[in-house]
Amino acid sequence: MKKISVTACLLLLATGLFGQSGLPDLKDVQKVVVKNYWGDQKIKGISRSKGGFKLSAVYTDTSKKQLLEEIELMQYVTLYKEKGTLYVLARQPKGFESIDLNLQIPSDLQVVSELFKGGNIFMENLDKGVEINSLNGSVKLRGIAGYALVSAANGEVDIEFDRVDPSKPISLITLNGGVSVTLPDKISRDVRLISRKNGYVLSQFPLGSDRAIKNLNKMAYSKTPIIASATINGGGSLLFLSTQNGPLAIKKLN
């Protein structure tokens, strides 16, 4: 494991390699893992030719909210690399506090996100797929390619794909909230839909099924569970949308 110590980070700051210019050796990194307890995560992918890794954080407790100065940042966030993965870890809360993380990363990195307590997640322009585990808060992704595996306990899930990997599944699950996915119009998928209560299904794609799907394209909340299997364009890898409480939507990319 290659840990970036506080001393090493201060040296990077002093030499201008951290923050504005980014870490100097991301060329061997294929994945970024981001974890925090309370607070939002915002992750934006850009071309490697247009910039490197950047990180900023906003700290909030009962008395203040502040954008952390670069020299303060490593008191709240740990960075280290291990086997081709860069880890960005907010510290465990000391009393009531939240730490919002704002990252810029190369768009060709896979992203794994964990939010242990609460906060919203927003990501955009990521090419290699995302995996998210969130307890409380919404998950919104735009300009995603590859695949997505999202597990949320309490919050809306809204994902928009520019491209998909036809060999990989897409699984979007929440316990409380709606689930919406936007896909390219040539997509081919086997579809599994579950809405346990207060649900309906909206689909801009024709859904092939040997059974009628309850409340399909009718914005009327069902009083009984909706559980259905179908296909899009003949079928393919799995598209799984599930909520305990809320509607489901499958949209076409404009």
Side-chain angles (χ1 to χ4, degrees), residues 69-116:
E69 300 290 338
E70 288 183 345
I71 200 157
E72 300 175 290
L73 196 55
M74 292 306 107
Q75 300 175 39
Y76 299 87
V77 184
T78 298
L79 304 177
Y80 68 90
K81 291 200 311 177
E82 183 179 32
K83 297 180 180 179
T85 299
L86 175 66
Y87 291 85
V88 182
L89 311 178
R91 75 181 189 184
Q92 283 189 290
K94 297 182 178 181
F96 176 81
E97 66 175 40
S98 67
I99 300 172
D100 298 335
L101 299 175
N102 192 336
L103 287 85
Q104 173 186 287
I105 63 172
S107 58
D108 59 0
L109 298 182
Q110 180 191 10
V111 175
V112 176
S113 163
E114 292 190 49
L115 211 166
F116 297 112

Side-chain angles (χ1 to χ4, degrees), residues 58-212:
V58 174
Y59 171 81
T60 304
D61 65 13
T62 55
S63 62
K64 63 182 177 180
K65 180 175 183 178
Q66 67 181 76
L67 176 66
L68 296 174
E69 300 290 338
E70 288 183 345
I71 200 157
E72 300 175 290
L73 196 55
M74 292 306 107
Q75 300 175 39
Y76 299 87
V77 184
T78 298
L79 304 177
Y80 68 90
K81 291 200 311 177
E82 183 179 32
K83 297 180 180 179
T85 299
L86 175 66
Y87 291 85
V88 182
L89 311 178
R91 75 181 189 184
Q92 283 189 290
K94 297 182 178 181
F96 176 81
E97 66 175 40
S98 67
I99 300 172
D100 298 335
L101 299 175
N102 192 336
L103 287 85
Q104 173 186 287
I105 63 172
S107 58
D108 59 0
L109 298 182
Q110 180 191 10
V111 175
V112 176
S113 163
E114 292 190 49
L115 211 166
F116 297 112
K117 296 295 185 180
N120 300 310
I121 295 174
F122 178 76
M123 302 182 188
E124 60 180 326
N125 301 330
L126 298 170
D127 297 335
K128 295 297 184 180
V130 298
E131 299 179 18
I132 296 172
N133 191 343
S134 174
L135 184 60
N136 286 296
S138 65
V139 176
K140 186 175 183 179
L141 312 182
R142 292 292 181 265
I144 303 302
Y147 73 101
L149 304 177
V150 177
S151 178
N154 187 32
E156 180 182 85
V157 176
D158 183 359
I159 317 296
E160 184 177 288
F161 283 90
D162 285 347
R163 303 181 307 281
V164 297
D165 184 333
S167 68
K168 293 186 177 180
I170 297 169
S171 176
L172 311 178
I173 301 170
T174 187
L175 295 182
N176 188 32
V179 179
S180 176
V181 62
T182 301
L183 299 163
D185 62 358
K186 301 300 183 182
I187 189 83
S188 298
R189 290 276 153 167
D190 289 338
V191 181
R192 181 68 169 167
L193 304 169
I194 300 176
S195 174
R196 296 288 179 184
K197 62 181 179 180
N198 297 324
Y200 52 82
V201 178
L202 300 179
S203 179
Q204 295 178 345
F205 293 87
L207 297 180
S209 179
D210 57 2
R211 296 183 179 181

